[in-house]
Amino acid sequence: MKKSLTVALALLVLVLAFAGCTTEAGTATPGNSQTPEITDTPTETATPGIPTLPPATPKPEAPTVDESLEYKFDTYEMTMPIWQSSTMYNECITFHEDAEGNITAHLLFKPIQVISVRDNSLSIELVEGVHYKFDENDPSTLIWLEGDENFVIPYFKPGDVTSAHQDNCGTSGYGGKIGNAMYCVGEWLYSKQLAVTYTYDLNENEMPHAEFAGNYLPKTMDKLKNGEELSIVIYGDSIFTGCDSSSSYGREPKTPTFFKLLKDQLSAFYPEAAIKVSNPSVGGWQAKDGLDNVEKKVARKKPDLVILGFGMNDSQVEGMKEAAIIQQIMDKILEYNPECEFIVVSTFHANPDVGWDIMQGTHAAGFKTLEKVGVATMDMYALHTYILERKSFQDTTGNNINHPNDWLARIYAMQLLTMLYDYNA
């Protein structure tokens, strides 16, 4: 039995190692030394070269109802960190029917004031009491209603997300299912993802998240603050290529990729700086592929900041081993530019029904050992764990397997911006 399980897992990794991005009508492949633990509050540096963190993000009083609030969703709102603002902009929800016939969706927090509920394209505004209502006993739960002639909320029926989709769902191959998870990048999936904008009590938010990393990235911060040229390279797997952001398909609402949002908002925060972003990421790559190709794809460009995002395809690589490969990638880049700095990003959860979320949860701890002046880390796995304790996986995915949707991709941008801009200053 053990041998059979090992073979099955190896085959699964082989299949998903080719995970890349898709078009809806085309083919698809879901594409050094240890350092002391750093506390959340500033202390004297215990070891030379290990910076301290800034104070934790402060929590304001809960907002009151303000009838003058209007819906808005530009770059600033798209990238406003969830842990900084008492307004949640376009959180994704999906309705699911349970075995008893109840059809519900879940918000991350209890809303104080709902500003907008919209369809996936953000063009249709839904009406409370017509399309949905709130659970009287749990305001963070929305209950499905029949809707009207203008719109009926689509929802997942029992077995939908674990059964093969029958019309290819914008994909070809895999029989519409990978492991025990339905595989889909098409309208059948994304049309069920609604967007809710609401205010809430920020004190309820205990989401683990990045803090300002200026002490880790002093050269990067100097370039930004001094209005100099800053060359950033995004280097990772299919998640880092931008799969499956709506803009990657040219469909509404055409939310930019996380690295486009990062560049745009950084440029707004540091208008004098000349920020250039390049992205040689490749879908399906493991960290070892990144190492094999780093010289020609990244190192020769001599970037100032490299944001590394491998791990989703390294399901059987333990965190310290993954970190060792990442260190080799950084070492090769430093051979060409000794002044380069790095942000190392751990991946989020694969769909648990795929049976592939094995070692990814160990990567963040491994990456943490790499931290020093010049190297900061960003944990998406812990943040995604927090979300999945409160919401469904389908609220966060663009293919129901291993790619983020617009909302989760925006959270990538939020974390990176938090590291590169001091919202608390």
Side-chain angles (χ1 to χ4, degrees), residues 26 48 64 69-70 116 126 177 197 293 306 333 370 378 389:
T64 58
L69 291 177
E70 296 181 353
S116 173
L126 280 58
K177 184 179 179 183
T197 299
N293 294 274
V306 177
I333 296 169
L370 304 176
M378 177 183 130
E389 288 171 350

Side-chain angles (χ1 to χ4, degrees), residues 360-372:
Q360 289 95 330
T362 68
H363 292 179
F367 295 165
K368 194 74 174 175
T369 67
L370 304 176
E371 281 195 330
K372 59 183 180 180

Side-chain angles (χ1 to χ4, degrees), residues 90-98 104-107 120 154-163 165 169 176-178 180-195 244 251 348-354 384 387-409:
N90 283 345
E91 175 186 327
C92 181
I93 63 169
T94 54
F95 281 85
H96 295 251
E97 181 181 15
D98 63 20
T104 57
H106 300 279
L107 294 172
N120 180 266
Y155 59 88
F156 294 106
K157 298 178 181 178
D160 274 352
V161 298
T162 56
S163 301
H165 196 270
C169 202
K177 184 179 179 183
I178 299 178
N180 289 318
M182 178 272 298
Y183 170 41
C184 178
V185 298
E187 184 177 4
W188 188 87
L189 172 65
Y190 67 70
S191 67
K192 297 177 178 64
Q193 297 178 329
L194 310 181
D244 282 293
R251 64 168 173 80
F348 68 100
H349 289 259
N351 189 326
D353 290 324
V354 176
H384 197 214
I387 292 174
L388 294 182
E389 288 171 350
R390 295 156 178 80
K391 296 167 63 66
S392 72
F393 184 82
Q394 290 71 39
D395 292 349
T396 65
T397 182
N399 67 350
N400 200 47
I401 302 294
N402 63 345
H403 291 161
N405 61 4
D406 285 346
W407 183 53
L408 191 60

Side-chain angles (χ1 to χ4, degrees), residues 57 81 85 117 121 200-201 215 232 235 270 273 280 286 296-298 312 328 335 363-365 370 380 387 407 409:
T57 301
S85 172
V117 180
S121 71
Y200 72 100
D201 184 353
N215 290 342
I232 302 175
Y235 191 48
Y270 304 101
Q286 298 174 280
K296 65 181 179 181
K297 281 189 168 288
V298 181
M312 179 58 79
Q328 292 178 70
E335 289 179 13
H363 292 179
L370 304 176
M380 278 299 296
I387 292 174
W407 183 53

Side-chain angles (χ1 to χ4, degrees), residues 33-37 43-52 372-373:
S33 62
Q34 299 249 350
T35 61
E37 181 178 354
T43 59
E44 293 298 318
T45 302
T47 303
I50 305 300
T52 57
K372 59 183 180 180
V373 174

Side-chain angles (χ1 to χ4, degrees), residues 229 241 295:
E229 182 176 302
T241 69
E295 184 172 6

Side-chain angles (χ1 to χ4, degrees), residues 297-310:
K297 281 189 168 288
V298 181
R300 293 174 185 171
K301 298 177 181 179
K302 299 182 180 181
D304 302 306
L305 175 66
V306 177
I307 303 175
L308 295 166
F310 294 98

Side-chain angles (χ1 to χ4, degrees), residues 119-391:
D119 75 323
N120 180 266
S121 71
L122 305 184
S123 62
I124 301 175
E125 186 154 11
L126 280 58
V127 179
E128 183 178 359
V130 176
H131 301 102
Y132 67 90
K133 65 178 181 179
F134 287 94
D135 188 322
E136 295 180 358
N137 299 315
D138 179 10
S140 65
T141 297
L142 287 76
I143 298 173
W144 184 90
L145 297 178
E146 293 184 357
D148 55 21
E149 65 277 5
N150 295 318
F151 191 76
V152 176
I153 296 174
Y155 59 88
F156 294 106
K157 298 178 181 178
D160 274 352
V161 298
T162 56
S163 301
H165 196 270
Q166 299 302 310
D167 66 0
N168 283 334
C169 202
T171 70
S172 63
Y174 304 105
K177 184 179 179 183
I178 299 178
N180 289 318
M182 178 272 298
Y183 170 41
C184 178
V185 298
E187 184 177 4
W188 188 87
L189 172 65
Y190 67 70
S191 67
K192 297 177 178 64
Q193 297 178 329
L194 310 181
V196 185
T197 299
Y198 62 99
T199 62
Y200 72 100
D201 184 353
L202 199 56
N203 289 284
E204 293 182 12
N205 188 342
E206 298 179 351
M207 175 183 287
H209 60 81
E211 295 286 358
F212 179 60
N215 290 342
Y216 285 93
L217 306 170
K219 297 181 180 69
T220 297
M221 296 312 305
D222 283 347
K223 288 179 179 293
L224 288 170
K225 292 177 180 178
N226 295 333
E228 300 175 21
E229 182 176 302
L230 179 70
S231 171
I232 302 175
V233 171
I234 309 294
Y235 191 48
D237 54 26
S238 57
I239 296 168
F240 268 46
T241 69
C243 289
D244 282 293
S245 294
S246 57
S247 61
S248 67
Y249 299 112
R251 64 168 173 80
E252 297 300 333
K254 299 180 181 178
T255 301
T257 59
F258 78 86
F259 43 88
K260 177 68 163 57
L261 289 171
L262 172 65
K263 180 182 184 299
D264 289 350
Q265 192 56 48
L266 269 184
S267 297
F269 285 146
Y270 304 101
E272 301 301 318
I275 302 170
K276 298 180 180 179
V277 176
S278 60
N279 189 341
S281 300
V282 178
W285 271 14
Q286 298 174 280
K288 62 181 180 63
D289 298 302
L291 176 59
D292 292 342
N293 294 274
V294 65
E295 184 172 6
K296 65 181 179 181
K297 281 189 168 288
V298 181
R300 293 174 185 171
K301 298 177 181 179
K302 299 182 180 181
D304 302 306
L305 175 66
V306 177
I307 303 175
L308 295 166
F310 294 98
M312 179 58 79
N313 299 315
D314 289 322
S315 63
Q316 299 196 59
V317 182
E318 188 275 331
M320 290 303 295
K321 292 182 179 179
E322 186 81 356
I325 301 172
I326 296 298
Q327 182 64 62
Q328 292 178 70
I329 292 175
M330 294 191 294
D331 288 344
K332 178 58 66 174
I333 296 169
L334 289 169
E335 289 179 13
Y336 284 78
N337 179 16
E339 301 298 305
C340 186
E341 294 180 327
F342 303 89
I343 297 176
V344 183
V345 181
S346 64
T347 192
F348 68 100
H349 289 259
N351 189 326
D353 290 324
V354 176
W356 190 40
D357 195 349
I358 303 170
M359 287 292 183
Q360 289 95 330
T362 68
H363 292 179
F367 295 165
K368 194 74 174 175
T369 67
L370 304 176
E371 281 195 330
K372 59 183 180 180
V373 174
V375 182
T377 65
M378 177 183 130
D379 190 349
M380 278 299 296
Y381 196 90
L383 186 153
H384 197 214
T385 300
Y386 180 90
I387 292 174
L388 294 182
E389 288 171 350
R390 295 156 178 80
K391 296 167 63 66

